[in-house]
């Protein structure tokens, strides 16, 4: 494994919202390169703890190796699991009460650039795309070999907003018996063939959208986020904070809608004299608008450009 590299995004903003104090415990649902976890460990020293999760065994192993001789290694539990099971993992480790939970959704720079899993269209690699390479969940190559035209079209359209989704899916299904699509270059060739010649100079836009869409499907990214949010809010004690960083508008929408719902109290019609629904808000929104990266951060790390941070405090 190469060094697990990732520059944390919106780190200062996340810390400001989580406001870690000595002795606090936190859950980092997406360990990645460990940027958030290390900052939380240092701010909660000498006794605070972090339970960090990641789907990628490489992230877990690299982190354990990196901190093994540090004092903080005794205060962190790194768990290889899906954040959609955060409540179960926290209970299993009898961890908490937690002051806050943070998730930095998506993929690390390591997974994009160095893992050799075919997530980037710019490298000739096998089309795997899974964050969790330890399991036997379907790879991108499997989906491209087995899924029907309609299913592929909706993946490219819904998760990638690709204009030529239908043509690309049709070409994949028509040609795949003769030319197996197992490598990134097989897929980029089919995409290039599927878009009109006059637009082919912009083919890399379609590559990016289709690759992103496949990655989201392979890793069930939206479904996992939808499961994670209520679980995370559920395990927080009153006063605990949930902070989520997203990089994609579909994810940001899921987070925003969940937070608005959690913070909504009575839903009785306005002309009702008294409340009969009995609903009270379960959380307070801490970010009226999503927090985004400032120009200095974006100039140093282009990944920060699309990052959006939203947070709530449990009531
Ligand atoms: C953007 S990185 C996190 C970076 C981290 N905040 C840091 O400072 O280095 C996202 C990480 O989430 C992991 N991940 C994605 N989906 C996951 C899931 N459902 N459960 C757990 N980890 C997941 C990826 O493997 C990746 O390592």
């Amino acid at each position: 494994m190469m060094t697990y590299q990732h520059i944390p995004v919106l780190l200062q903003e996340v810390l400001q919202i989580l406001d870690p104090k000595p002795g606090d415990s936190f859950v980092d649902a997406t360990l990645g390169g460990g940027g958030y976890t290390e900052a939380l460990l240092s701010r909660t020293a000498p006794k605070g703890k972090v339970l960090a999760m990641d789907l990628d065994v490489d992230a877990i192993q690299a982190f354990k190796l990196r901190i093994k001789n540090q004092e903080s290694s005794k205060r962190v539990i790194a768990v290889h699991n899906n954040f959609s099971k955060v409540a179960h993992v926290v209970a299993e480790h009898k961890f908490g009460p937690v002051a806050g939970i943070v998730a930095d959704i998506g993929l690390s720079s390591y997974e994009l650039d160095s893992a050799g899993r075919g997530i980037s269209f710019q490298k000739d690699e096998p089309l795997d795309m899974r964050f969790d390479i330890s399991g036997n969940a379907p790879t991108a190559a499997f989906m491209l070999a087995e899924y029907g035209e309609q299913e592929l079209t909706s993946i490219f359209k819904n998760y990638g907003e690709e204009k030529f989704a239908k043509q690309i899916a049709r070409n994949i299904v028509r040609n795949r018996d003769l030319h197996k699509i197992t490598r990134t270059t097989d897929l980029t060739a089919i995409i290039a063939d599927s878009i009109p010649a006059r637009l082919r100079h912009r083919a890399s836009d379609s590559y990016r959208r289709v690759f992103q869409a496949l990655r989201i499907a392979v890793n069930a990214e939206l479904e996992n986020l939808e499961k994670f949010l209520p679980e995370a809010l559920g395990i927080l004690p009153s006063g605990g904070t949930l902070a989520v960083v997203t990089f994609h508008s579909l994810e940001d929408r899921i987070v925003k809608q969940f937070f608005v719902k959690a913070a909504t109290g009575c839903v009785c019609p306005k002309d009702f004299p008294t409340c009969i629904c009995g609903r009270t808000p379960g959380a307070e929104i801490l970010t009226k608008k999503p927090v985004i990266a400032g120009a200095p951060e974006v100039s140093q790390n282009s990944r920060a450009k699309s990052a959006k941070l939203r947070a709530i405090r449990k009531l």
Side-chain angles (χ1 to χ4, degrees):
M1 188 208 331
M2 304 185 52
T3 9
Y4 202 103
Q5 266 175 346
H6 183 83
I7 305 170
V9 168
L10 290 174
L11 176 61
Q12 293 316 318
E13 291 79 354
V14 163
L15 289 174
Q16 198 177 349
I17 279 181
L18 291 179
D19 192 21
K21 303 247 178 1
D24 281 348
S25 294
F26 285 91
V27 171
D28 180 354
T30 53
L31 173 68
Y36 288 7
T37 288
E38 276 189 271
L40 289 169
L41 284 167
S42 112
R43 298 273 186 110
T44 57
K47 291 215 171 109
K49 295 197 170 107
V50 176
L51 185 150
M53 303 176 63
D54 208 291
L55 259 187
D56 191 343
V57 264
D58 289 355
I60 303 285
Q61 280 174 3
F63 183 74
K64 283 187 174 164
L65 200 67
R66 187 149 58 81
I67 65 152
K68 83 171 189 278
N69 294 323
Q70 293 173 22
E71 164 280 325
S72 57
S73 63
K74 295 183 192 71
R75 299 189 285 118
V76 63
I77 310 169
V79 185
H80 175 230
N81 211 326
N82 196 316
F83 57 55
S84 65
K85 301 197 184 115
V86 65
H88 167 79
V89 172
V90 162
E92 196 176 48
H93 290 272
K94 300 191 172 52
F95 190 80
V98 289
I101 301 178
V102 62
D104 180 14
I105 306 295
L107 73 163
S108 64
S109 304
Y110 165 80
E111 288 163 331
L112 181 69
D113 300 326
S114 334
R117 300 181 198 163
I119 291 179
S120 164
F121 69 83
Q122 286 167 327
K123 300 190 168 167
D124 181 13
E125 292 170 350
L127 278 168
D128 184 320
M129 293 201 181
R130 291 169 305 161
F131 296 151
D132 187 4
I133 46 166
S134 69
N136 44 17
T139 62
F142 177 90
M143 289 185 175
L144 293 168
E146 299 294 329
Y147 283 17
E149 185 180 320
Q150 277 201 344
E151 215 169 345
L152 290 172
T153 304
S154 55
I155 289 174
F156 302 154
K157 205 187 267 171
N158 297 339
Y159 300 159
E161 295 176 65
E162 169 54 38
K163 213 159 102 203
F164 302 105
K166 204 171 163 43
Q167 290 87 326
I168 297 167
R170 191 188 305 142
N171 256 342
I172 288 171
V173 173
R174 271 192 196 157
N175 293 306
R176 66 189 175 191
D177 289 339
L178 219 52
H179 304 288
K180 291 217 178 326
I181 308 162
T182 59
R183 300 191 69 85
T184 47
T185 42
D186 301 330
L187 181 56
T188 49
I190 288 218
I191 299 171
D193 276 350
S194 313
I195 57 184
R198 70 191 153 80
L199 293 176
R200 217 157 280 162
H201 64 285
R202 301 235 313 260
S204 58
D205 291 345
S206 292
Y207 301 161
R208 190 179 42 74
R209 289 191 288 256
V210 169
F211 273 65
Q212 170 188 278
L214 265 177
R215 194 203 78 222
I216 291 176
V218 164
N219 295 294
E221 292 180 37
L222 304 183
E223 292 88 338
N224 287 332
L225 179 60
E226 266 162 357
K227 286 186 197 148
F228 164 75
L229 295 169
E231 287 217 0
L233 189 60
I235 52 181
L236 277 177
S238 166
T241 307
L242 171 59
V244 185
V245 177
T246 60
F247 293 85
H248 189 286
S249 56
L250 292 173
E251 291 168 346
D252 181 54
R253 192 182 323 149
I254 291 172
V255 175
K256 180 179 166 186
Q257 287 177 350
F258 177 80
F259 283 6
V260 167
K261 208 166 150 201
T264 302
C266 169
V267 288
C268 293
K270 285 208 172 49
D271 53 351
F272 274 30
T274 53
C275 167
I276 55 157
C277 75
R279 236 189 101 113
T280 52
E284 171 196 0
I285 292 180
L286 301 178
T287 46
K288 288 267 170 305
K289 282 200 175 139
V291 177
I292 55 171
E297 180 173 1
V298 175
S299 73
Q300 283 182 15
N301 180 10
S302 60
R303 266 187 60 89
K305 201 165 52 191
S306 49
K308 288 198 170 123
L309 163 65
R310 292 185 188 269
I312 48 176
R313 182 182 300 125
K314 185 149 163 181
L315 291 174

